[in-house]
Amino acid sequence: QVQLAESGGGLVQPGGSLSLSCAASGRTLSPLHMGWFRRAPGKEREFVAAITRFSSTRSYADSVKGRFTISRNNAKNTVYLQMNSLKPEDTAVYYCSGMTHTGRPIEMESAYEYWGQGTQVTVSS
């Protein structure tokens, strides 16, 4: 089973940028679709972005479209989330996840099997 570990979270001012990384260990992540989800205080976890195995398809939540970019480097066993033009409502714990059910929509949270511990992103002035 693959282990996922997020890093790169922190405090940033509105309008700023932050880059998150998700490193896989134990197994390669190359067979997996990968996604980022987030959970804000008092809210349920929600879909943020996802990317297919070979980066042929990317998907974004409407709330982050045009501001966030998901990418991956399978040779480095790492997935990234570049976050620009950050807003206070982006404040949340961000989770990296992996999916083996590649026939399912990459936006479908229930299809993801592997989850990291999360990294806190706080957008505040």
Side-chain angles (χ1 to χ4, degrees):
Q1 185 170 341
V2 64
Q3 291 81 48
L4 303 175
E6 305 93 338
S7 62
L11 175 64
V12 64
Q13 294 185 345
S17 298
L18 206 59
S19 182
L20 305 183
S21 297
C22 173
S25 61
R27 295 167 56 183
T28 177
L29 56 72
S30 58
L32 308 176
H33 293 343
M34 300 297 296
W36 287 95
F37 296 79
R38 68 187 182 187
R39 181 158 52 209
K43 297 183 178 180
E44 295 185 357
R45 189 167 59 193
E46 65 177 356
F47 168 77
V48 176
I51 187 168
T52 53
R53 289 176 292 176
F54 310 118
S55 302
S56 59
T57 301
R58 295 174 173 86
S59 183
Y60 300 93
D62 289 341
S63 59
V64 307
K65 194 172 299 181
R67 300 188 297 120
F68 290 11
T69 302
I70 188 171
S71 62
R72 67 192 295 164
N73 189 324
N74 288 345
K76 295 182 178 180
N77 234 22
T78 304
V79 181
Y80 308 94
L81 184 68
Q82 178 65 45
M83 304 183 293
N84 299 325
S85 302
L86 283 162
K87 305 175 180 179
E89 51 262 44
D90 295 318
T91 296
V93 177
Y94 284 71
Y95 298 90
C96 175
S97 59
M99 177 203 300
T100 60
H101 304 286
T102 55
R104 300 183 179 180
I106 57 176
E107 301 88 354
M108 181 183 294
E109 180 177 344
S110 62
Y112 288 84
E113 301 172 83
Y114 309 109
W115 295 86
Q117 295 297 307
T119 185
Q120 176 70 50
V121 172
T122 302
V123 185
S124 177
S125 60

